[in-house]
Amino acid sequence: GAGVSQSPRYKVAKRGQDVALRCDPISGHVSLFWYQQALGQGPEFLTYFQNEAQLDKSGLPSDRFFAERPEGSVSTLKIQRTQQEDSAVYLCASSPQGIRQFFGPGTRLTVL
Amino acid sequence: AQRVTQPEKLLSVFKGAPVELKCNYSYSGSPELFWYVQYSRQRLQLLLRHISRESIKGFTADLNKGETSFHLKKPFAQEEDSAMYYCALSGNQGGSEKLVFGKGTKLTVNP
């Protein structure tokens, strides 16, 4: 079956623009996670959904970051008024009930 | 606070040599520990988890609670082991299964 997919794979934005990053999890996976990976760093947790409920958003760096998963499947991470420090790879992972997480290929965001 | 430390950013060995990638963690409870690997131009994937006590691609990792370590070892490195390796922990705090990652170690196995 298909793994986790993310789109777009690459996004270039001008500073101040809004962007939306999409994640399609593995079908049937209850849990969905977003991580941010800056250059030379490990992934850092942003937010977590269980079905449509956002249970943990403690990692979102500012109120410019917003995530949703309205029907408990596809998720969108939105970043408003992008800044240069937002440049990173954004990873989505999904998991059936349990611990193991399956990662998508990531979206590389570059803010100019 | 939850923290994972991978002291080596880069590690280079020759094919057939033993390899050990170090990982230390800080966590107040009983975490689950993982090693994830990212091969060139591929996505991050699970290599092994301590709870499974398995050997994957010849790699093993033992959780040492006294030293709060979870080092990854392989007795004879192969060129195809060259990749980025990330140690991670999950504490399942507050119902969130989020992973806390180290900064990663880039392993290069030379012919």
Side-chain angles (χ1 to χ4, degrees):
Chain A
V4 178
S5 61
Q6 293 185 245
S7 60
R9 293 293 314 278
Y10 303 90
K11 176 70 180 176
V12 178
K14 290 183 180 177
R15 192 172 54 183
Q17 271 186 326
D18 297 349
V19 298
L21 313 181
R22 178 187 168 109
C23 172
D24 284 82
I26 294 172
S27 177
H29 278 193
V30 169
S31 301
L32 186 145
F33 303 81
W34 284 98
Y35 295 86
Q36 179 190 59
Q37 186 172 21
L39 191 64
Q41 304 293 316
E44 291 194 2
F45 170 78
L46 294 176
T47 188
Y48 160 64
F49 290 87
Q50 186 169 329
N51 296 306
E52 68 278 3
Q54 189 174 20
L55 298 185
D56 187 346
K57 52 182 181 179
S58 62
L60 296 177
S62 77
D63 58 8
R64 295 187 297 104
F65 287 71
F66 172 77
E68 60 183 3
R69 192 186 185 198
E71 296 178 359
S73 178
V74 170
S75 176
T76 303
L77 176 67
K78 297 179 180 178
I79 309 173
Q80 296 178 320
R81 304 181 303 280
T82 52
Q83 305 294 314
Q84 283 190 320
E85 61 262 29
D86 300 335
S87 295
V89 175
Y90 290 85
L91 296 171
C92 176
S94 71
S95 171
Q97 207 90 43
I99 294 291
R100 177 168 182 172
Q101 295 183 24
F102 295 81
F103 283 81
T107 294
R108 182 178 296 278
L109 172 65
T110 302
V111 181
L112 302 176
Chain B
Q2 302 174 59
R3 188 180 301 121
V4 175
T5 303
Q6 294 180 249
E8 303 136 330
K9 198 167 186 175
L10 302 171
L11 185 61
S12 183
V13 300
F14 285 103
K15 176 183 171 182
V19 62
E20 180 180 52
L21 290 87
K22 291 184 167 52
C23 171
N24 288 89
Y25 67 91
S26 171
Y27 186 74
S28 56
S30 295
E32 282 219 44
L33 274 296
F34 306 83
W35 277 97
Y36 277 81
V37 60
Q38 188 167 27
Y39 300 102
S40 179
R41 289 184 289 279
Q42 294 188 26
R43 63 186 67 190
L44 199 59
Q45 58 185 285
L46 179 66
L47 179 63
L48 54 80
R49 48 191 290 197
H50 90 270
I51 202 168
S52 303
R53 300 191 64 82
E54 57 196 346
S55 173
I56 302 293
K57 300 185 179 183
F59 285 97
T60 59
D62 290 320
L63 180 62
N64 185 323
K65 292 186 178 179
E67 295 182 0
T68 59
S69 68
F70 189 57
H71 303 327
L72 183 68
K73 301 177 184 179
K74 185 169 182 177
F76 307 103
Q78 303 299 314
E79 289 180 68
E80 55 265 30
D81 296 329
S82 296
M84 279 295 298
Y85 290 81
Y86 295 95
C87 182
L89 72 78
S90 175
N92 200 19
Q93 285 190 325
S96 173
E97 304 161 351
K98 66 183 179 186
L99 292 169
V100 176
F101 287 88
K103 293 186 176 183
T105 297
K106 183 176 181 179
L107 174 65
T108 302
V109 181
N110 300 296

